[in-house]
Amino acid sequence: MELEKINFIWTDKKRILGMPISFTRYSVTEDRLFIKRGFFTTVQDEILLYRIRDLTFRQTLGQKIFGVGSVIIQSTDKTNPECELKNIKSPFEVKELIHKQVEQMKRENRMRMGEFLNDEVEEMEE
């Protein structure tokens, strides 16, 4: 049985002082985000893109100096409700790429997450 080749639309490593010398790799395909960590023991997590609820871009002064930043992801994934793509190149562009893919996957799967404000929830309970 031959495994299907995975086509990544973005991939990068966690960077230390701006250089990709860590053992953490981040990758995005059409429908999933992969986070692979470790050298002796490798662990790979994945999040289905349609489960992502929120994306945040963050860049500290130190990260600006080395040309990197972070993207924080909030999802409905049980094992990974929050993850951070740390010290990646072009973090704002990566956040936008992931956002576009998330929206596309939600449209293709006909999924929309409704958001309620606390006031609306309280009104519904009455």
Side-chain angles (χ1 to χ4, degrees):
M1 182 169 123
E2 188 175 323
L3 292 176
E4 178 181 326
K5 184 176 184 206
I6 297 175
N7 292 320
F8 296 108
I9 56 177
W10 173 80
T11 187
D12 198 3
K13 281 187 170 184
K14 177 180 174 184
R15 293 167 183 271
I16 299 170
L17 302 176
M19 298 179 294
I21 54 175
S22 75
F23 295 104
T24 301
R25 178 175 287 281
Y26 308 112
S27 306
V28 175
T29 65
E30 263 186 25
D31 61 345
R32 291 176 288 175
L33 166 70
F34 296 94
I35 302 162
K36 187 176 180 180
R37 297 178 186 94
F39 178 70
F40 292 111
T41 300
T42 303
V43 176
Q44 182 168 309
D45 290 322
E46 69 179 67
I47 299 172
L48 294 169
L49 291 181
Y50 69 81
R51 290 188 171 177
I52 294 176
R53 293 182 330 169
D54 191 45
L55 296 163
T56 303
F57 161 78
R58 184 176 69 208
Q59 191 174 38
T60 65
L61 178 61
Q63 288 175 318
K64 287 179 185 178
I65 290 169
F66 290 105
V68 297
S70 297
V71 176
I72 296 102
I73 297 169
Q74 302 284 331
S75 75
T76 58
D77 189 89
K78 298 241 188 254
T79 59
N80 243 343
E82 181 176 313
C83 73
E84 183 175 356
L85 309 181
K86 294 180 185 178
N87 298 334
I88 57 173
K89 284 183 77 171
S90 307
F92 184 77
E93 289 81 3
V94 171
K95 181 188 86 65
E96 289 302 308
L97 178 132
I98 293 172
H99 170 73
K100 288 177 183 175
Q101 283 303 119
V102 166
E103 292 303 311
Q104 181 178 339
M105 287 297 98
K106 286 182 178 179
R107 275 193 306 275
E108 286 181 14
N109 289 304
R110 298 181 184 191
M111 298 186 75
R112 264 296 165 214
M113 308 231 13
E115 294 185 38
F116 293 105
L117 297 174
N118 287 337
D119 295 338
E120 291 175 320
V121 172
E122 288 172 6
E123 286 175 12
M124 293 178 75
E125 290 175 354
E126 291 176 359

